[in-house]
PDB file of all heavy atoms in Angstrom:
ATOM      1  N   PHE A 418      14.374 -10.809  -9.986  1.00 97.00           N
ATOM      2  CA  PHE A 418      14.677 -11.070  -8.576  1.00 97.00           C
ATOM      3  C   PHE A 418      16.092 -10.614  -8.229  1.00 97.00           C
ATOM      4  O   PHE A 418      16.321 -10.035  -7.156  1.00 97.00           O
ATOM      5  CB  PHE A 418      14.505 -12.556  -8.265  1.00 97.00           C
ATOM      6  CG  PHE A 418      14.709 -12.888  -6.815  1.00 97.00           C
ATOM      7  CD1 PHE A 418      13.741 -12.591  -5.870  1.00 97.00           C
ATOM      8  CD2 PHE A 418      15.891 -13.495  -6.394  1.00 97.00           C
ATOM      9  CE1 PHE A 418      13.935 -12.881  -4.535  1.00 97.00           C
ATOM     10  CE2 PHE A 418      16.093 -13.797  -5.056  1.00 97.00           C
ATOM     11  CZ  PHE A 418      15.114 -13.490  -4.119  1.00 97.00           C
ATOM     12  N   GLY A 419      17.025 -10.882  -9.136  1.00 97.00           N
ATOM     13  CA  GLY A 419      18.408 -10.461  -8.897  1.00 97.00           C
ATOM     14  C   GLY A 419      18.538  -8.953  -8.795  1.00 97.00           C
ATOM     15  O   GLY A 419      19.239  -8.431  -7.914  1.00 97.00           O
ATOM     16  N   TRP A 420      17.832  -8.230  -9.668  1.00 97.00           N
ATOM     17  CA  TRP A 420      17.869  -6.776  -9.607  1.00 97.00           C
ATOM     18  C   TRP A 420      17.184  -6.254  -8.349  1.00 97.00           C
ATOM     19  O   TRP A 420      17.605  -5.244  -7.767  1.00 97.00           O
ATOM     20  CB  TRP A 420      17.222  -6.171 -10.850  1.00 97.00           C
ATOM     21  CG  TRP A 420      18.133  -6.155 -12.047  1.00 97.00           C
ATOM     22  CD1 TRP A 420      18.015  -6.900 -13.184  1.00 97.00           C
ATOM     23  CD2 TRP A 420      19.301  -5.353 -12.209  1.00 97.00           C
ATOM     24  NE1 TRP A 420      19.041  -6.614 -14.051  1.00 97.00           N
ATOM     25  CE2 TRP A 420      19.848  -5.662 -13.473  1.00 97.00           C
ATOM     26  CE3 TRP A 420      19.942  -4.401 -11.416  1.00 97.00           C
ATOM     27  CZ2 TRP A 420      20.994  -5.048 -13.951  1.00 97.00           C
ATOM     28  CZ3 TRP A 420      21.096  -3.798 -11.888  1.00 97.00           C
ATOM     29  CH2 TRP A 420      21.608  -4.120 -13.144  1.00 97.00           C
ATOM     30  N   TYR A 421      16.126  -6.924  -7.926  1.00 97.00           N
ATOM     31  CA  TYR A 421      15.469  -6.558  -6.657  1.00 97.00           C
ATOM     32  C   TYR A 421      16.461  -6.678  -5.501  1.00 97.00           C
ATOM     33  O   TYR A 421      16.585  -5.751  -4.678  1.00 97.00           O
ATOM     34  CB  TYR A 421      14.258  -7.461  -6.439  1.00 97.00           C
ATOM     35  CG  TYR A 421      13.747  -7.516  -5.019  1.00 97.00           C
ATOM     36  CD1 TYR A 421      13.173  -6.407  -4.413  1.00 97.00           C
ATOM     37  CD2 TYR A 421      13.828  -8.702  -4.283  1.00 97.00           C
ATOM     38  CE1 TYR A 421      12.698  -6.459  -3.113  1.00 97.00           C
ATOM     39  CE2 TYR A 421      13.353  -8.770  -2.985  1.00 97.00           C
ATOM     40  CZ  TYR A 421      12.802  -7.648  -2.402  1.00 97.00           C
ATOM     41  OH  TYR A 421      12.335  -7.710  -1.109  1.00 97.00           O
ATOM     42  N   MET A 422      17.180  -7.799  -5.446  1.00 97.00           N
ATOM     43  CA  MET A 422      18.160  -7.992  -4.381  1.00 97.00           C
ATOM     44  C   MET A 422      19.274  -6.954  -4.469  1.00 97.00           C
ATOM     45  O   MET A 422      19.745  -6.441  -3.448  1.00 97.00           O
ATOM     46  CB  MET A 422      18.736  -9.400  -4.471  1.00 97.00           C
ATOM     47  CG  MET A 422      17.737 -10.515  -4.222  1.00 97.00           C
ATOM     48  SD  MET A 422      17.114 -10.523  -2.522  1.00 97.00           S
ATOM     49  CE  MET A 422      18.583 -11.039  -1.631  1.00 97.00           C
ATOM     50  N   ALA A 423      19.687  -6.635  -5.699  1.00 97.00           N
ATOM     51  CA  ALA A 423      20.757  -5.649  -5.868  1.00 97.00           C
ATOM     52  C   ALA A 423      20.314  -4.279  -5.382  1.00 97.00           C
ATOM     53  O   ALA A 423      21.079  -3.554  -4.716  1.00 97.00           O
ATOM     54  CB  ALA A 423      21.172  -5.586  -7.338  1.00 97.00           C
ATOM     55  N   CYS A 424      19.071  -3.895  -5.704  1.00 96.00           N
ATOM     56  CA  CYS A 424      18.559  -2.587  -5.260  1.00 96.00           C
ATOM     57  C   CYS A 424      18.443  -2.518  -3.743  1.00 96.00           C
ATOM     58  O   CYS A 424      18.767  -1.497  -3.124  1.00 96.00           O
ATOM     59  CB  CYS A 424      17.206  -2.316  -5.908  1.00 96.00           C
ATOM     60  SG  CYS A 424      17.270  -2.062  -7.698  1.00 96.00           S
ATOM     61  N   VAL A 425      17.984  -3.624  -3.140  1.00 96.00           N
ATOM     62  CA  VAL A 425      17.923  -3.670  -1.676  1.00 96.00           C
ATOM     63  C   VAL A 425      19.327  -3.576  -1.097  1.00 96.00           C
ATOM     64  O   VAL A 425      19.557  -2.910  -0.072  1.00 96.00           O
ATOM     65  CB  VAL A 425      17.219  -4.955  -1.205  1.00 96.00           C
ATOM     66  CG1 VAL A 425      17.324  -5.098   0.318  1.00 96.00           C
ATOM     67  CG2 VAL A 425      15.758  -4.947  -1.621  1.00 96.00           C
ATOM     68  N   GLY A 426      20.307  -4.239  -1.763  1.00 94.00           N
ATOM     69  CA  GLY A 426      21.697  -4.154  -1.309  1.00 94.00           C
ATOM     70  C   GLY A 426      22.222  -2.734  -1.350  1.00 94.00           C
ATOM     71  O   GLY A 426      22.935  -2.297  -0.431  1.00 94.00           O
ATOM     72  N   VAL A 427      21.876  -1.992  -2.397  1.00 94.00           N
ATOM     73  CA  VAL A 427      22.275  -0.586  -2.484  1.00 94.00           C
ATOM     74  C   VAL A 427      21.641   0.208  -1.351  1.00 94.00           C
ATOM     75  O   VAL A 427      22.296   1.032  -0.694  1.00 94.00           O
ATOM     76  CB  VAL A 427      21.874  -0.001  -3.857  1.00 94.00           C
ATOM     77  CG1 VAL A 427      22.068   1.515  -3.863  1.00 94.00           C
ATOM     78  CG2 VAL A 427      22.690  -0.639  -4.968  1.00 94.00           C
ATOM     79  N   TRP A 428      20.353  -0.035  -1.099  1.00 92.00           N
ATOM     80  CA  TRP A 428      19.660   0.638   0.008  1.00 92.00           C
ATOM     81  C   TRP A 428      20.366   0.367   1.332  1.00 92.00           C
ATOM     82  O   TRP A 428      20.605   1.278   2.126  1.00 92.00           O
ATOM     83  CB  TRP A 428      18.215   0.149   0.061  1.00 92.00           C
ATOM     84  CG  TRP A 428      17.360   0.826   1.090  1.00 92.00           C
ATOM     85  CD1 TRP A 428      16.566   1.912   0.917  1.00 92.00           C
ATOM     86  CD2 TRP A 428      17.218   0.456   2.479  1.00 92.00           C
ATOM     87  NE1 TRP A 428      15.930   2.249   2.087  1.00 92.00           N
ATOM     88  CE2 TRP A 428      16.313   1.377   3.067  1.00 92.00           C
ATOM     89  CE3 TRP A 428      17.761  -0.554   3.265  1.00 92.00           C
ATOM     90  CZ2 TRP A 428      15.953   1.305   4.398  1.00 92.00           C
ATOM     91  CZ3 TRP A 428      17.401  -0.618   4.612  1.00 92.00           C
ATOM     92  CH2 TRP A 428      16.510   0.300   5.169  1.00 92.00           C
ATOM     93  N   MET A 429      20.710  -0.910   1.557  1.00 89.00           N
ATOM     94  CA  MET A 429      21.386  -1.262   2.807  1.00 89.00           C
ATOM     95  C   MET A 429      22.754  -0.602   2.904  1.00 89.00           C
ATOM     96  O   MET A 429      23.153  -0.114   3.970  1.00 89.00           O
ATOM     97  CB  MET A 429      21.541  -2.784   2.896  1.00 89.00           C
ATOM     98  CG  MET A 429      20.251  -3.535   3.119  1.00 89.00           C
ATOM     99  SD  MET A 429      20.546  -5.325   3.188  1.00 89.00           S
ATOM    100  CE  MET A 429      18.894  -5.907   3.587  1.00 89.00           C
ATOM    101  N   GLY A 430      23.481  -0.580   1.780  1.00 88.00           N
ATOM    102  CA  GLY A 430      24.812   0.018   1.796  1.00 88.00           C
ATOM    103  C   GLY A 430      24.772   1.494   2.128  1.00 88.00           C
ATOM    104  O   GLY A 430      25.555   1.978   2.962  1.00 88.00           O
ATOM    105  N   ILE A 431      23.846   2.226   1.501  1.00 85.00           N
ATOM    106  CA  ILE A 431      23.745   3.660   1.779  1.00 85.00           C
ATOM    107  C   ILE A 431      23.278   3.898   3.208  1.00 85.00           C
ATOM    108  O   ILE A 431      23.761   4.796   3.903  1.00 85.00           O
ATOM    109  CB  ILE A 431      22.788   4.335   0.778  1.00 85.00           C
ATOM    110  CG1 ILE A 431      23.284   4.154  -0.646  1.00 85.00           C
ATOM    111  CG2 ILE A 431      22.652   5.824   1.093  1.00 85.00           C
ATOM    112  CD1 ILE A 431      22.335   4.699  -1.702  1.00 85.00           C
ATOM    113  N   THR A 432      22.336   3.063   3.669  1.00 82.00           N
ATOM    114  CA  THR A 432      21.841   3.204   5.041  1.00 82.00           C
ATOM    115  C   THR A 432      22.957   2.958   6.045  1.00 82.00           C
ATOM    116  O   THR A 432      23.098   3.673   7.046  1.00 82.00           O
ATOM    117  CB  THR A 432      20.675   2.229   5.293  1.00 82.00           C
ATOM    118  OG1 THR A 432      19.645   2.475   4.340  1.00 82.00           O
ATOM    119  CG2 THR A 432      20.106   2.407   6.687  1.00 82.00           C
ATOM    120  N   PHE A 433      23.781   1.933   5.774  1.00 79.00           N
ATOM    121  CA  PHE A 433      24.913   1.649   6.658  1.00 79.00           C
ATOM    122  C   PHE A 433      25.886   2.820   6.668  1.00 79.00           C
ATOM    123  O   PHE A 433      26.366   3.249   7.723  1.00 79.00           O
ATOM    124  CB  PHE A 433      25.627   0.383   6.192  1.00 79.00           C
ATOM    125  CG  PHE A 433      26.890   0.093   6.952  1.00 79.00           C
ATOM    126  CD1 PHE A 433      26.846  -0.522   8.195  1.00 79.00           C
ATOM    127  CD2 PHE A 433      28.121   0.446   6.435  1.00 79.00           C
ATOM    128  CE1 PHE A 433      28.017  -0.773   8.904  1.00 79.00           C
ATOM    129  CE2 PHE A 433      29.287   0.193   7.128  1.00 79.00           C
ATOM    130  CZ  PHE A 433      29.234  -0.417   8.367  1.00 79.00           C
ATOM    131  N   TYR A 434      26.171   3.352   5.475  1.00 76.00           N
ATOM    132  CA  TYR A 434      27.103   4.466   5.368  1.00 76.00           C
ATOM    133  C   TYR A 434      26.591   5.678   6.137  1.00 76.00           C
ATOM    134  O   TYR A 434      27.344   6.339   6.866  1.00 76.00           O
ATOM    135  CB  TYR A 434      27.308   4.813   3.898  1.00 76.00           C
ATOM    136  CG  TYR A 434      28.272   5.955   3.659  1.00 76.00           C
ATOM    137  CD1 TYR A 434      29.645   5.727   3.611  1.00 76.00           C
ATOM    138  CD2 TYR A 434      27.809   7.257   3.492  1.00 76.00           C
ATOM    139  CE1 TYR A 434      30.528   6.769   3.394  1.00 76.00           C
ATOM    140  CE2 TYR A 434      28.683   8.306   3.285  1.00 76.00           C
ATOM    141  CZ  TYR A 434      30.043   8.052   3.226  1.00 76.00           C
ATOM    142  OH  TYR A 434      30.913   9.086   3.017  1.00 76.00           O
ATOM    143  N   CYS A 435      25.312   5.980   5.968  1.00 75.00           N
ATOM    144  CA  CYS A 435      24.750   7.136   6.662  1.00 75.00           C
ATOM    145  C   CYS A 435      24.689   6.909   8.173  1.00 75.00           C
ATOM    146  O   CYS A 435      24.897   7.827   8.961  1.00 75.00           O
ATOM    147  CB  CYS A 435      23.359   7.441   6.106  1.00 75.00           C
ATOM    148  SG  CYS A 435      23.371   7.979   4.390  1.00 75.00           S
ATOM    149  N   GLY A 436      24.373   5.659   8.576  1.00 67.00           N
ATOM    150  CA  GLY A 436      24.375   5.342   9.996  1.00 67.00           C
ATOM    151  C   GLY A 436      25.753   5.475  10.590  1.00 67.00           C
ATOM    152  O   GLY A 436      25.939   5.996  11.699  1.00 67.00           O
ATOM    153  N   LEU A 437      26.760   5.029   9.839  1.00 61.00           N
ATOM    154  CA  LEU A 437      28.139   5.177  10.283  1.00 61.00           C
ATOM    155  C   LEU A 437      28.514   6.647  10.364  1.00 61.00           C
ATOM    156  O   LEU A 437      29.215   7.081  11.278  1.00 61.00           O
ATOM    157  CB  LEU A 437      29.075   4.441   9.307  1.00 61.00           C
ATOM    158  CG  LEU A 437      30.498   4.157   9.777  1.00 61.00           C
ATOM    159  CD1 LEU A 437      30.483   3.242  10.993  1.00 61.00           C
ATOM    160  CD2 LEU A 437      31.301   3.534   8.644  1.00 61.00           C
ATOM    161  N   GLY A 438      27.999   7.422   9.393  1.00 52.00           N
ATOM    162  CA  GLY A 438      28.269   8.863   9.414  1.00 52.00           C
ATOM    163  C   GLY A 438      27.701   9.533  10.636  1.00 52.00           C
ATOM    164  O   GLY A 438      28.295  10.470  11.177  1.00 52.00           O
ATOM    165  N   ASP A 439      26.554   9.045  11.106  1.00 53.00           N
ATOM    166  CA  ASP A 439      25.969   9.614  12.321  1.00 53.00           C
ATOM    167  C   ASP A 439      26.857   9.349  13.535  1.00 53.00           C
ATOM    168  O   ASP A 439      26.875  10.117  14.495  1.00 53.00           O
ATOM    169  CB  ASP A 439      24.580   9.013  12.574  1.00 53.00           C
ATOM    170  CG  ASP A 439      23.556   9.564  11.595  1.00 53.00           C
ATOM    171  OD1 ASP A 439      23.825  10.632  11.021  1.00 53.00           O
ATOM    172  OD2 ASP A 439      22.508   8.925  11.408  1.00 53.00           O
ATOM    173  N   ILE A 440      27.592   8.224  13.482  1.00 49.00           N
ATOM    174  CA  ILE A 440      28.398   7.840  14.636  1.00 49.00           C
ATOM    175  C   ILE A 440      29.744   8.556  14.637  1.00 49.00           C
ATOM    176  O   ILE A 440      30.170   9.142  15.634  1.00 49.00           O
ATOM    177  CB  ILE A 440      28.619   6.314  14.646  1.00 49.00           C
ATOM    178  CG1 ILE A 440      27.273   5.591  14.726  1.00 49.00           C
ATOM    179  CG2 ILE A 440      29.507   5.900  15.829  1.00 49.00           C
ATOM    180  CD1 ILE A 440      27.390   4.105  14.499  1.00 49.00           C
ATOM    181  N   ILE A 441      30.447   8.506  13.490  1.00 47.00           N
ATOM    182  CA  ILE A 441      31.826   9.041  13.462  1.00 47.00           C
ATOM    183  C   ILE A 441      31.931  10.306  12.615  1.00 47.00           C
ATOM    184  O   ILE A 441      33.017  10.730  12.243  1.00 47.00           O
ATOM    185  CB  ILE A 441      32.819   7.976  12.974  1.00 47.00           C
ATOM    186  CG1 ILE A 441      32.462   7.519  11.543  1.00 47.00           C
ATOM    187  CG2 ILE A 441      32.831   6.787  13.905  1.00 47.00           C
ATOM    188  CD1 ILE A 441      33.474   6.517  10.991  1.00 47.00           C
ATOM    189  N   ASP A 442      30.770  10.889  12.278  1.00 52.00           N
ATOM    190  CA  ASP A 442      30.731  12.192  11.625  1.00 52.00           C
ATOM    191  C   ASP A 442      31.367  12.183  10.239  1.00 52.00           C
ATOM    192  O   ASP A 442      32.173  13.041   9.903  1.00 52.00           O
ATOM    193  CB  ASP A 442      31.398  13.245  12.506  1.00 52.00           C
ATOM    194  CG  ASP A 442      30.974  14.658  12.100  1.00 52.00           C
ATOM    195  OD1 ASP A 442      29.861  14.787  11.572  1.00 52.00           O
ATOM    196  OD2 ASP A 442      31.758  15.590  12.310  1.00 52.00           O
ATOM    197  N   ILE A 443      30.989  11.164   9.427  1.00 49.00           N
ATOM    198  CA  ILE A 443      31.349  11.188   8.008  1.00 49.00           C
ATOM    199  C   ILE A 443      30.294  12.028   7.312  1.00 49.00           C
ATOM    200  O   ILE A 443      29.099  11.780   7.461  1.00 49.00           O
ATOM    201  CB  ILE A 443      31.391   9.773   7.420  1.00 49.00           C
ATOM    202  CG1 ILE A 443      32.450   8.938   8.158  1.00 49.00           C
ATOM    203  CG2 ILE A 443      31.689   9.800   5.931  1.00 49.00           C
ATOM    204  CD1 ILE A 443      32.486   7.496   7.728  1.00 49.00           C
ATOM    205  N   TYR A 444      30.710  12.996   6.482  1.00 50.00           N
ATOM    206  CA  TYR A 444      29.731  13.969   6.000  1.00 50.00           C
ATOM    207  C   TYR A 444      28.851  13.519   4.834  1.00 50.00           C
ATOM    208  O   TYR A 444      27.639  13.561   4.939  1.00 50.00           O
ATOM    209  CB  TYR A 444      30.416  15.277   5.622  1.00 50.00           C
ATOM    210  CG  TYR A 444      29.463  16.234   4.953  1.00 50.00           C
ATOM    211  CD1 TYR A 444      28.424  16.817   5.676  1.00 50.00           C
ATOM    212  CD2 TYR A 444      29.556  16.489   3.593  1.00 50.00           C
ATOM    213  CE1 TYR A 444      27.520  17.664   5.073  1.00 50.00           C
ATOM    214  CE2 TYR A 444      28.651  17.341   2.981  1.00 50.00           C
ATOM    215  CZ  TYR A 444      27.644  17.918   3.726  1.00 50.00           C
ATOM    216  OH  TYR A 444      26.751  18.741   3.123  1.00 50.00           O
ATOM    217  N   PRO A 445      29.406  13.133   3.654  1.00 51.00           N
ATOM    218  CA  PRO A 445      28.563  13.059   2.441  1.00 51.00           C
ATOM    219  C   PRO A 445      27.347  12.155   2.616  1.00 51.00           C
ATOM    220  O   PRO A 445      27.418  11.100   3.238  1.00 51.00           O
ATOM    221  CB  PRO A 445      29.525  12.487   1.387  1.00 51.00           C
ATOM    222  CG  PRO A 445      30.879  12.812   1.887  1.00 51.00           C
ATOM    223  CD  PRO A 445      30.777  12.734   3.387  1.00 51.00           C
ATOM    224  N   LEU A 446      26.253  12.575   2.083  1.00 49.00           N
ATOM    225  CA  LEU A 446      24.999  11.826   1.955  1.00 49.00           C
ATOM    226  C   LEU A 446      24.126  11.780   3.204  1.00 49.00           C
ATOM    227  O   LEU A 446      22.920  11.725   3.094  1.00 49.00           O
ATOM    228  CB  LEU A 446      25.249  10.372   1.493  1.00 49.00           C
ATOM    229  CG  LEU A 446      25.689  10.198   0.037  1.00 49.00           C
ATOM    230  CD1 LEU A 446      25.946   8.723  -0.228  1.00 49.00           C
ATOM    231  CD2 LEU A 446      24.637  10.717  -0.922  1.00 49.00           C
ATOM    232  N   ARG A 447      24.717  11.756   4.387  1.00 49.00           N
ATOM    233  CA  ARG A 447      23.875  11.405   5.519  1.00 49.00           C
ATOM    234  C   ARG A 447      22.743  12.407   5.743  1.00 49.00           C
ATOM    235  O   ARG A 447      21.690  12.049   6.231  1.00 49.00           O
ATOM    236  CB  ARG A 447      24.703  11.231   6.791  1.00 49.00           C
ATOM    237  CG  ARG A 447      25.208  12.509   7.437  1.00 49.00           C
ATOM    238  CD  ARG A 447      25.895  12.187   8.771  1.00 49.00           C
ATOM    239  NE  ARG A 447      26.291  13.401   9.449  1.00 49.00           N
ATOM    240  CZ  ARG A 447      27.442  14.010   9.254  1.00 49.00           C
ATOM    241  NH1 ARG A 447      28.290  13.535   8.363  1.00 49.00           N
ATOM    242  NH2 ARG A 447      27.748  15.109   9.917  1.00 49.00           N
ATOM    243  N   ASN A 448      22.969  13.657   5.386  1.00 50.00           N
ATOM    244  CA  ASN A 448      21.912  14.652   5.579  1.00 50.00           C
ATOM    245  C   ASN A 448      20.852  14.596   4.480  1.00 50.00           C
ATOM    246  O   ASN A 448      19.837  15.262   4.569  1.00 50.00           O
ATOM    247  CB  ASN A 448      22.522  16.056   5.617  1.00 50.00           C
ATOM    248  CG  ASN A 448      23.376  16.252   6.852  1.00 50.00           C
ATOM    249  OD1 ASN A 448      23.085  15.679   7.889  1.00 50.00           O
ATOM    250  ND2 ASN A 448      24.440  17.021   6.737  1.00 50.00           N
ATOM    251  N   TYR A 449      21.103  13.826   3.436  1.00 57.00           N
ATOM    252  CA  TYR A 449      20.191  13.794   2.295  1.00 57.00           C
ATOM    253  C   TYR A 449      19.552  12.434   2.089  1.00 57.00           C
ATOM    254  O   TYR A 449      18.750  12.275   1.183  1.00 57.00           O
ATOM    255  CB  TYR A 449      20.950  14.191   1.019  1.00 57.00           C
ATOM    256  CG  TYR A 449      21.586  15.539   1.116  1.00 57.00           C
ATOM    257  CD1 TYR A 449      22.927  15.658   1.478  1.00 57.00           C
ATOM    258  CD2 TYR A 449      20.856  16.692   0.881  1.00 57.00           C
ATOM    259  CE1 TYR A 449      23.530  16.901   1.581  1.00 57.00           C
ATOM    260  CE2 TYR A 449      21.451  17.940   0.976  1.00 57.00           C
ATOM    261  CZ  TYR A 449      22.781  18.034   1.328  1.00 57.00           C
ATOM    262  OH  TYR A 449      23.369  19.259   1.438  1.00 57.00           O
ATOM    263  N   TRP A 450      19.881  11.451   2.894  1.00 74.00           N
ATOM    264  CA  TRP A 450      19.383  10.094   2.681  1.00 74.00           C
ATOM    265  C   TRP A 450      18.155   9.852   3.553  1.00 74.00           C
ATOM    266  O   TRP A 450      18.251   9.663   4.758  1.00 74.00           O
ATOM    267  CB  TRP A 450      20.460   9.062   3.005  1.00 74.00           C
ATOM    268  CG  TRP A 450      19.977   7.645   2.929  1.00 74.00           C
ATOM    269  CD1 TRP A 450      19.900   6.751   3.959  1.00 74.00           C
ATOM    270  CD2 TRP A 450      19.506   6.943   1.772  1.00 74.00           C
ATOM    271  NE1 TRP A 450      19.432   5.556   3.528  1.00 74.00           N
ATOM    272  CE2 TRP A 450      19.163   5.641   2.187  1.00 74.00           C
ATOM    273  CE3 TRP A 450      19.325   7.292   0.437  1.00 74.00           C
ATOM    274  CZ2 TRP A 450      18.659   4.677   1.308  1.00 74.00           C
ATOM    275  CZ3 TRP A 450      18.836   6.347  -0.433  1.00 74.00           C
ATOM    276  CH2 TRP A 450      18.507   5.056   0.005  1.00 74.00           C
ATOM    277  N   HIS A 451      16.996   9.850   2.938  1.00 83.00           N
ATOM    278  CA  HIS A 451      15.753   9.544   3.638  1.00 83.00           C
ATOM    279  C   HIS A 451      15.365   8.124   3.252  1.00 83.00           C
ATOM    280  O   HIS A 451      14.629   7.898   2.295  1.00 83.00           O
ATOM    281  CB  HIS A 451      14.664  10.540   3.263  1.00 83.00           C
ATOM    282  CG  HIS A 451      14.993  11.952   3.612  1.00 83.00           C
ATOM    283  ND1 HIS A 451      15.042  12.405   4.917  1.00 83.00           N
ATOM    284  CD2 HIS A 451      15.321  13.019   2.839  1.00 83.00           C
ATOM    285  CE1 HIS A 451      15.369  13.681   4.929  1.00 83.00           C
ATOM    286  NE2 HIS A 451      15.546  14.078   3.680  1.00 83.00           N
ATOM    287  N   ALA A 452      15.876   7.173   4.013  1.00 84.00           N
ATOM    288  CA  ALA A 452      15.782   5.767   3.623  1.00 84.00           C
ATOM    289  C   ALA A 452      14.354   5.268   3.541  1.00 84.00           C
ATOM    290  O   ALA A 452      14.062   4.360   2.757  1.00 84.00           O
ATOM    291  CB  ALA A 452      16.574   4.907   4.617  1.00 84.00           C
ATOM    292  N   PHE A 453      13.455   5.832   4.329  1.00 87.00           N
ATOM    293  CA  PHE A 453      12.103   5.299   4.411  1.00 87.00           C
ATOM    294  C   PHE A 453      11.087   6.126   3.620  1.00 87.00           C
ATOM    295  O   PHE A 453       9.894   6.006   3.827  1.00 87.00           O
ATOM    296  CB  PHE A 453      11.694   5.156   5.877  1.00 87.00           C
ATOM    297  CG  PHE A 453      12.534   4.149   6.594  1.00 87.00           C
ATOM    298  CD1 PHE A 453      13.714   4.528   7.208  1.00 87.00           C
ATOM    299  CD2 PHE A 453      12.187   2.812   6.601  1.00 87.00           C
ATOM    300  CE1 PHE A 453      14.517   3.592   7.840  1.00 87.00           C
ATOM    301  CE2 PHE A 453      12.985   1.870   7.227  1.00 87.00           C
ATOM    302  CZ  PHE A 453      14.149   2.259   7.848  1.00 87.00           C
ATOM    303  N   PHE A 454      11.601   6.928   2.692  1.00 91.00           N
ATOM    304  CA  PHE A 454      10.724   7.609   1.748  1.00 91.00           C
ATOM    305  C   PHE A 454      10.471   6.658   0.584  1.00 91.00           C
ATOM    306  O   PHE A 454      11.392   6.030   0.065  1.00 91.00           O
ATOM    307  CB  PHE A 454      11.357   8.904   1.240  1.00 91.00           C
ATOM    308  CG  PHE A 454      11.361  10.024   2.247  1.00 91.00           C
ATOM    309  CD1 PHE A 454      10.926   9.826   3.548  1.00 91.00           C
ATOM    310  CD2 PHE A 454      11.806  11.283   1.886  1.00 91.00           C
ATOM    311  CE1 PHE A 454      10.928  10.849   4.478  1.00 91.00           C
ATOM    312  CE2 PHE A 454      11.810  12.328   2.800  1.00 91.00           C
ATOM    313  CZ  PHE A 454      11.372  12.103   4.102  1.00 91.00           C
ATOM    314  N   TYR A 455       9.230   6.575   0.148  1.00 94.00           N
ATOM    315  CA  TYR A 455       8.880   5.615  -0.901  1.00 94.00           C
ATOM    316  C   TYR A 455       9.378   6.017  -2.281  1.00 94.00           C
ATOM    317  O   TYR A 455       9.341   5.211  -3.204  1.00 94.00           O
ATOM    318  CB  TYR A 455       7.364   5.411  -0.938  1.00 94.00           C
ATOM    319  CG  TYR A 455       6.829   4.631   0.232  1.00 94.00           C
ATOM    320  CD1 TYR A 455       5.773   5.127   0.992  1.00 94.00           C
ATOM    321  CD2 TYR A 455       7.384   3.413   0.594  1.00 94.00           C
ATOM    322  CE1 TYR A 455       5.285   4.417   2.074  1.00 94.00           C
ATOM    323  CE2 TYR A 455       6.910   2.701   1.679  1.00 94.00           C
ATOM    324  CZ  TYR A 455       5.860   3.206   2.415  1.00 94.00           C
ATOM    325  OH  TYR A 455       5.377   2.501   3.490  1.00 94.00           O
ATOM    326  N   ASN A 456       9.821   7.261  -2.447  1.00 93.00           N
ATOM    327  CA  ASN A 456      10.327   7.675  -3.752  1.00 93.00           C
ATOM    328  C   ASN A 456      11.841   7.742  -3.799  1.00 93.00           C
ATOM    329  O   ASN A 456      12.402   8.371  -4.705  1.00 93.00           O
ATOM    330  CB  ASN A 456       9.720   9.025  -4.163  1.00 93.00           C
ATOM    331  CG  ASN A 456      10.055  10.139  -3.183  1.00 93.00           C
ATOM    332  OD1 ASN A 456      10.409   9.886  -2.033  1.00 93.00           O
ATOM    333  ND2 ASN A 456       9.920  11.379  -3.630  1.00 93.00           N
TER     334      ASN A 456
END
Side-chain angles (χ1 to χ4, degrees):
F418 184 76
W420 280 111
Y421 161 67
M422 295 294 290
C424 292
V425 172
V427 170
W428 184 93
M429 290 179 176
I431 300 175
T432 303
F433 174 81
Y434 180 84
C435 294
L437 196 62
D439 287 340
I440 300 170
I441 60 177
D442 199 28
I443 299 175
Y444 172 68
L446 289 178
R447 74 174 184 272
N448 292 328
Y449 302 96
W450 175 244
H451 299 290
F453 295 89
F454 286 5
Y455 288 128
N456 60 340

